[in-house]
Amino acid sequence: VRFDAFVESSKLWADIEMQTSDGSELDIRARYYHANMDLDFLEQGQPYKDLKPSYVIFICTFDHFNMDEPVYFFRSWDVEKGLPLDDFSYKIVLNAACSPDKVPEKLRAFYAYINDPTKVGSKLVEGIDERVRKYNTPEWRERLVTLEYMIAEAKEEGLEQGR
């Protein structure tokens, strides 16, 4: 399932990424996604105050931090003084693999769905499931393949043919 989404509102930006395997350099990718949002939405010469709060949200089917917590929330801090750096960039890692009894009530139906897509237990999850079914088709997946990915595939194919 391709579950990646971008949300833009008058108050914030959010990049939501579905992750089904660890080792995906989540920490570094979060930095990259924040940088891309800033570059995409702040025109040259525009004041920095025009930057909106931005969120990178990873929905994981594994516990990247191995602490059995349902949600990990990150922002920038001075590590010695505990002072926040109000750069309005936030990272959230949702751990759908945590112990079920630790999942906050508001996330239970969603986590159940992530772990078993046949469990559609709330209006929100019904809406998500409807979108997943609509866009998880071969034709939509083909549309979502990026030029970079197509180039990488063509290069690999060329190398194989050359061998």
Side-chain angles (χ1 to χ4, degrees):
V1 170
R2 185 175 175 98
F3 197 66
D4 303 349
F6 181 76
V7 176
E8 178 184 4
S9 78
S10 61
K11 297 182 179 185
L12 63 87
W13 303 317
D15 177 32
I16 305 166
E17 302 283 333
M18 182 72 191
Q19 301 297 308
T20 58
S21 60
D22 206 353
S24 53
E25 299 175 326
L26 243 56
D27 311 6
I28 297 169
R29 287 178 52 220
R31 175 181 167 184
Y32 174 77
Y33 292 144
H34 274 293
N36 278 330
M37 281 190 275
D38 291 347
L39 288 171
D40 286 348
F41 290 99
L42 190 67
E43 301 289 326
Q44 187 174 2
Q46 224 177 329
Y48 295 120
K49 69 178 178 52
D50 289 352
L51 286 171
K52 296 177 188 175
S54 64
Y55 294 80
V56 172
I57 303 167
F58 290 110
I59 302 166
C60 299
T61 59
F62 54 89
D63 187 353
H64 181 66
F65 301 100
N66 298 312
M67 295 182 70
D68 196 38
E69 292 296 327
V71 179
Y72 301 97
F73 185 87
F74 300 93
R75 60 184 288 198
S76 301
W77 290 88
D78 177 300
V79 294
E80 290 183 11
K81 295 166 192 67
L83 296 172
L85 179 65
D86 290 326
D87 62 357
F88 305 113
S89 65
Y90 309 97
K91 294 113 184 130
I92 300 171
V93 179
L94 301 178
N95 171 23
C98 74
S99 301
D101 59 315
K102 288 189 164 191
V103 179
E105 183 63 38
K106 289 183 177 185
L107 290 174
R108 284 199 179 134
F110 181 65
Y111 277 32
Y113 176 72
I114 294 299
N115 290 310
D116 180 355
T118 64
K119 294 183 179 179
V120 180
S122 72
K123 280 281 192 207
L124 172 65
V125 173
E126 283 177 21
I128 292 169
D129 185 60
E130 185 180 300
R131 294 289 179 136
V132 168
R133 290 182 190 285
K134 177 180 179 180
Y135 294 111
N136 193 26
T137 63
E139 61 201 54
W140 272 102
R141 268 184 258 140
E142 188 174 318
R143 285 182 181 183
L144 293 172
V145 173
T146 63
L147 178 60
E148 185 178 316
Y149 181 76
M150 292 186 319
I151 290 170
E153 273 189 330
K155 183 178 178 182
E156 185 64 32
E157 214 173 272
L159 289 171
E160 284 299 315
Q161 286 177 2
R163 288 185 189 122

